[in-house]
Amino acid sequence: MDYFQMESYLKAIGDSNRMRILKYLMKDSLCICEFTELMKMTQPAISQHMKKLKQAELVLEEKRGRWTIWSLNIRHAQYPILIHLLSLLPEPERTIETLKAEGKKVVCE
Amino acid sequence: MDYFQMESYLKAIGDSNRMRILKYLMKDSLCICEFTELMKMTQPAISQHMKKLKQAELVLEEKRGRWTIWSLNIRHAQYPILIHLLSLLPEPERTIETLKAEGKKVVCE
DNA sequence: TGTATTAATAAGCAAACACTTATATAATAA
DNA sequence: TTATTATATAAGTGTTTGCTTATTAATACA
């Protein structure tokens, strides 16, 4: 890995909202609309964060009907480091469980 | 560590020039003027990078006469991660040895 | 005393970043 | 078909970033 690849990698991770996204993806594969509910952000904001994570190959997308299901790319060479860094962070306040409790869990499949 | 602290940490590391600085510091403690020679950058540019690294507590400074000697903060909680990340990067082209060979090694002490 | 030397800081600037609102695309449902 | 839903993309905006040049501060040396 050269210096600019490492820079791209660290910049992709180094945003608090993208770290929250990655932290959620450690537990579940999720679609954009679920992130908008979990993180109280607009759909384009989430979409643009996913694009950055995708360009860094940190996440994978799978089209399923109208939805795009996003997941962690566990085959990324630096995946163990990512998991280690994310493990240092607390769980986000709103969880998939709270979404379900609110009846807002989207059935994407 | 919370999300914003992690963001600050990753942003401090996530610049190719600062990674080169940190890579040099893995081998030697160095002063600003040596970095300007090694990296062919201006003195204020180096100074400003050191300020960012200092704010993230990744480096320590020690005033010695006219010089400020910078070193890695090996007591930083995430020091092992830093070393691991830096170990993935190649050695910079110009080394302290090439500086000496060119007669440009500064005697800071 | 000056006068270099080393480094920090200030101010300015272009590019990148993270959002916004608006629109486009594509799949599903009525 | 038309409407709805989920997502992507485009365009605009304020903030941050990484440099530049100019200046300041502090030490060492003549």
Side-chain angles (χ1 to χ4, degrees):
Chain A
M1 189 183 273
D2 70 26
Y3 284 78
F4 288 103
Q5 289 170 331
M6 181 67 86
E7 182 173 310
S8 302
Y9 174 73
L10 293 175
K11 281 183 174 167
I13 303 172
D15 172 87
S16 59
N17 285 324
R18 283 195 292 276
M19 283 190 276
R20 282 203 290 158
I21 288 173
L22 293 168
K23 189 85 177 173
Y24 280 124
L25 290 180
M26 280 181 70
K27 291 204 163 181
D28 277 293
S29 294
L30 295 167
C31 63
I32 303 287
C33 58
E34 288 171 319
F35 285 116
T36 64
E37 272 297 334
L38 287 165
M39 300 174 60
K40 297 298 182 191
M41 292 179 68
T42 64
Q43 174 266 316
I46 299 289
S47 259
Q48 287 160 21
H49 281 307
M50 299 319 291
K51 187 174 184 176
K52 291 218 163 189
L53 293 172
K54 179 184 168 185
Q55 285 170 342
E57 300 185 325
L58 292 170
V59 298
L60 301 172
E61 60 182 334
E62 185 201 336
K63 303 278 182 187
R64 207 179 297 171
R66 299 183 257 190
W67 296 276
T68 308
I69 311 297
W70 295 87
S71 58
L72 282 191
N73 178 11
I74 64 172
R75 296 192 213 291
H76 189 286
Q78 260 55 66
Y79 176 75
I81 300 177
L82 176 65
I83 295 301
H84 179 83
L85 288 170
L86 294 175
S87 73
L88 300 172
L89 297 169
E91 293 300 321
E93 329 70 54
R94 291 172 64 80
T95 66
I96 297 292
E97 284 66 38
T98 61
L99 266 201
K100 286 177 184 164
E102 291 166 2
K104 287 178 180 168
K105 176 74 173 74
V106 182
V107 181
C108 292
E109 40 210 330
Chain B
M1 189 182 271
D2 70 26
Y3 284 77
F4 288 103
Q5 289 170 331
M6 182 66 86
E7 182 173 311
S8 302
Y9 174 73
L10 293 175
K11 281 184 174 168
I13 303 173
D15 172 87
S16 58
N17 285 325
R18 283 194 292 275
M19 284 189 276
R20 284 203 288 157
I21 289 173
L22 293 168
K23 189 83 177 177
Y24 281 123
L25 290 180
M26 280 181 70
K27 291 204 163 182
D28 278 292
S29 294
L30 295 166
C31 62
I32 303 287
C33 58
E34 287 172 319
F35 285 116
T36 64
E37 272 297 334
L38 287 166
M39 301 175 60
K40 297 297 182 193
M41 291 178 70
T42 64
Q43 175 266 314
I46 299 288
S47 261
Q48 286 160 22
H49 281 307
M50 299 319 292
K51 188 174 184 176
K52 291 215 165 190
L53 293 172
K54 179 184 168 185
Q55 285 170 341
E57 300 185 326
L58 292 170
V59 298
L60 300 172
E61 61 182 333
E62 184 201 336
K63 303 277 183 187
R64 205 179 297 171
R66 297 182 258 190
W67 295 277
T68 309
I69 311 296
W70 294 87
S71 58
L72 283 190
N73 178 10
I74 63 172
R75 298 193 211 292
H76 189 285
Q78 260 54 65
Y79 177 75
I81 300 177
L82 177 63
I83 295 301
H84 178 84
L85 289 170
L86 294 176
S87 72
L88 300 172
L89 297 169
E91 293 299 321
E93 329 70 53
R94 292 172 64 78
T95 65
I96 297 292
E97 284 66 36
T98 62
L99 265 202
K100 285 177 184 164
E102 291 166 2
K104 287 178 180 168
K105 176 74 173 70
V106 182
V107 182
C108 291
E109 41 209 331

